[in-house]
């Protein structure tokens, strides 16, 4: 679940009220919903330039975990070390923008836009074995074979 104060209007809504195009938070919310389930897990590690979040995955795969890493650094790539988590079959989606004030967001290097009816594109995931977050980027990672006991059926 994602809760926002405004869909349109106000200072920073999900949808630009003049153009009816999605703002960057719209895309982040959409990807969040694709990856993150409702059960919150404790995430630890990182440094002052990293924000880490962990949930049971939004998939039906028992034991699957999803992670979000936000890199606040202006220049350096953040490399995640997932320790002993099973990363077999890992999928990821990277959200980036050319600048913090950009109205355009890229998912895995492709600019996200809705079609002429306002329908968002399919949010493609890519298989991955390395976990790098670009400067001021967000990386979503799904670990379908993590076998995390708190994320088994329950």
């Amino acid at each position: 679940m994602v809760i926002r104060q405004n869909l349109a209007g106000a200072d920073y809504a999900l949808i630009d009220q003049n153009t009816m195009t999605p703002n960057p938070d719209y895309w982040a919310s959409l990807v969040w919903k694709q990856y993150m389930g409702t059960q919150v897990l404790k995430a630890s590690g990182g440094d002052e330039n990293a924000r880490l979040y962990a949930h049971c995955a939004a998939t039906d795969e028992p034991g699957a975990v999803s992670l979000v890493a936000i890199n606040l650094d202006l220049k350096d790539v953040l490399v995640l070390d997932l320790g002993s988590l099973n990363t077999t079959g890992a999928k990821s989606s990277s959200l980036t923008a050319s600048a913090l004030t950009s109205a355009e967001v890229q998912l895995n290097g492709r600019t996200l836009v809705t079609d002429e009816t306002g329908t968002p594109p399919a949010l493609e995931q890519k298989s991955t074995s390395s976990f790098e977050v670009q400067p001021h980027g967000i990386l979503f990672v799904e670990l379908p074979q993590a076998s995390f006991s708190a994320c088994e059926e329950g």
Side-chain angles (χ1 to χ4, degrees):
M1 174 190 307
V2 175
I3 299 174
R4 285 293 303 233
Q5 183 176 358
N6 292 315
L7 177 63
D11 290 331
Y12 193 74
L14 291 175
I15 307 293
D16 182 290
Q17 70 179 9
N18 297 317
T19 64
M20 297 308 290
T21 58
N23 282 319
D25 267 11
Y26 171 86
W27 299 112
S29 296
L30 209 58
V31 178
W32 179 282
K33 185 155 177 60
Q34 179 181 18
Y35 278 86
M36 309 301 276
T38 57
Q39 186 169 343
V40 179
L41 305 171
K42 182 178 180 180
S44 61
D47 59 31
E48 73 256 4
N49 289 320
R51 299 296 179 266
L52 304 172
Y53 305 92
H55 286 224
C56 293
T59 67
D60 292 330
E61 191 70 38
V65 172
S66 288
L67 310 169
V68 176
I70 302 172
N71 185 358
L72 303 176
D73 196 279
L74 295 169
K75 305 177 289 193
D76 295 328
V77 171
L78 172 67
V79 179
L80 299 179
D81 177 1
L82 301 183
S84 63
L85 283 173
N86 183 350
T87 60
T88 304
K91 299 175 209 160
S92 70
S93 294
S94 176
L95 285 176
T96 56
S98 59
L100 284 178
T101 57
S102 177
E104 291 185 344
V105 174
Q106 289 76 41
L107 176 71
N108 299 327
R110 247 177 84 200
T111 300
L112 291 167
V113 293
T114 58
D115 67 16
E116 60 279 350
T117 68
T119 303
L123 301 175
E124 297 177 6
Q125 298 174 311
K126 65 178 191 171
S127 295
T128 189
S129 59
S130 66
F131 306 98
E132 296 182 349
V133 191
Q134 297 304 309
H136 281 144
I138 304 171
L139 182 69
F140 291 83
V141 178
E142 180 185 310
L143 304 171
Q145 296 182 32
S147 300
F148 198 73
S149 61
C151 299
E152 299 291 335
E153 281 199 57

